[in-house]
Amino acid sequence: MAGFGLPNFGQLTEAFRKAQQIQQDAQKLQQDLDALEVEGSSDCGRARIWLSGNQQPLKVSLSPELIAEGAEATETATLAALKAAYETSAATMRERMEALTGGLNFNLPGLGG
């Protein structure tokens, strides 16, 4: 049947084995990202926000000095801390996903591999 452009059985078996391993690795990565805490802080350091590796909010810390400066300063610093935490979390997630899928190559004829 290989004459009809179909991959041989050994290639399919190997592809399914690789896919199953990637699925298991992806589940572990999801758990690792859930457990990861990423901190972002404002330039002044008086607002700090923690997110999980999956970008779920975990906690916020605002210094009394920042709060005493008023709503606008507090909002600005909190937003800066959130952006910093988000950027770090997104970069971490991207790096770990690239590490997981970087070697993805099934080498199946006709399937773009």
Side-chain angles (χ1 to χ4, degrees):
M1 289 211 180
F4 293 105
L6 297 175
N8 69 36
F9 186 72
Q11 287 175 314
L12 284 175
T13 301
E14 181 62 17
F16 287 128
R17 187 193 63 74
K18 285 182 181 179
Q20 186 176 32
Q21 183 62 49
I22 289 171
Q23 182 181 14
Q24 291 170 353
D25 291 347
Q27 289 172 344
K28 170 115 175 57
L29 174 60
Q30 183 71 34
Q31 293 170 347
D32 291 347
L33 289 172
D34 281 341
L36 182 67
E37 283 192 18
V38 175
E39 179 182 348
S41 63
S42 60
D43 292 338
C44 65
R46 295 182 293 176
R48 298 180 351 199
I49 294 181
W50 289 263
L51 301 177
S52 73
N54 286 317
Q55 301 167 346
Q56 294 298 311
L58 299 174
K59 55 187 168 183
V60 175
S61 174
L62 305 174
S63 74
E65 296 83 12
L66 177 62
I67 294 170
E69 289 182 24
E72 188 175 331
T74 302
E75 290 167 359
T76 300
T78 302
L79 182 58
L82 178 58
K83 285 180 179 180
Y86 175 81
E87 289 170 8
T88 302
S89 178
T92 301
M93 183 184 297
R94 209 172 21 257
E95 289 168 8
R96 298 214 178 160
M97 286 300 295
E98 287 172 4
L100 175 68
T101 62
L104 184 61
N105 185 359
F106 290 108
N107 295 318
L108 291 177
L111 296 179

